[in-house]
Amino acid sequence: DRTLTDMKNLGKDTDLIQYNQHNGRDFSTSTEKVLSSADRLQMDVIVGTLFEENSVGPSSWYIRQYNPAALILERRRVAAYTRELVARFSGHTSFVGVYIPHEVNGTANARDIGEFYGAISQAAKQAKPGLKVMISPYTNLWPGLAVSLPPEIIASWWKEALGRAHIDILACQEGVGGTAK
């Protein structure tokens, strides 16, 4: 309550929870507390779905996104979880959106990534019409590196991906403005 009240007093009207489940840990109890507090404060909350990161090795999301078969399995699993998440929290007036925490940089197959996001977005919006869906990609070639692909390649890739993704909020992060050198 105190943290959200402080945020509200500073003029912030929306909170983002990066994921409700991460690497097998469920944060639903904490999410419920944030949503209840935000309801009272008349704030909005975007809740992240399931994310199994496994940040090292072949099971890493940063590797799985390049494997079409793995991506299909992942999107089915995350879409199913998203339906459960929306059903669980849809009674909160503050619950206005779903965040898909699977970040991409535009080097995997654009069609496959667009369909990945699209399936999860569709699951959320079917479960609660009017719900917003957000992603936060980066444009650098590797997290933490400033070097990006040329703008023409980035634009072309995202045109293809976003045509299938059906998301509402594209919140770009690090790498935007990086060089193509």
Side-chain angles (χ1 to χ4, degrees), residues 26 141 147 154 158 164 175:
D26 186 291
L141 297 175
V147 178
I154 294 169
W158 278 104
R164 299 170 186 276

Side-chain angles (χ1 to χ4, degrees), residues 59-82:
S59 63
S60 164
W61 161 249
Y62 299 101
I63 302 298
R64 290 192 318 267
Q65 68 180 302
Y66 296 96
N67 179 332
L71 208 52
I72 289 169
L73 292 174
E74 183 94 1
R75 81 178 188 213
R76 287 178 183 160
R77 189 167 57 92
V78 177
Y81 181 81
T82 299

Side-chain angles (χ1 to χ4, degrees), residues 7-70:
M7 291 165 49
K8 174 93 176 191
N9 289 338
L10 290 170
K12 186 171 181 180
D13 62 3
T14 305
D15 191 30
L16 170 67
I17 297 173
Q18 186 173 8
Y19 31 70
N20 191 60
Q21 189 175 101
H22 181 253
N23 291 342
R25 292 188 64 199
D26 186 291
F27 299 103
S28 295
T29 302
S30 297
T31 298
E32 183 74 43
K33 289 177 183 178
V34 170
L35 288 165
S36 294
S37 183
D39 288 347
R40 285 189 296 279
L41 293 166
Q42 298 179 337
M43 293 178 71
D44 293 339
V45 180
I46 298 171
V47 180
T49 62
L50 163 74
F51 188 44
E52 300 297 331
E53 189 168 20
N54 302 322
S55 59
V56 179
S59 63
S60 164
W61 161 249
Y62 299 101
I63 302 298
R64 290 192 318 267
Q65 68 180 302
Y66 296 96
N67 179 332

Side-chain angles (χ1 to χ4, degrees), residues 83-132:
R83 284 188 283 277
E84 293 172 17
L85 178 131
V86 173
R88 180 172 186 158
F89 298 125
S90 65
H92 288 277
T93 57
S94 59
F95 180 45
V96 300
V98 168
Y99 174 65
I100 305 171
H102 297 73
E103 300 168 354
V104 298
N105 69 352
T107 57
N109 183 286
R111 187 192 76 214
D112 292 346
I113 295 296
E115 290 173 358
F116 173 81
Y117 287 140
I120 299 163
S121 180
Q122 181 181 23
K125 292 176 181 193
Q126 284 177 343
K128 184 177 179 182
L131 206 59
K132 301 294 183 194

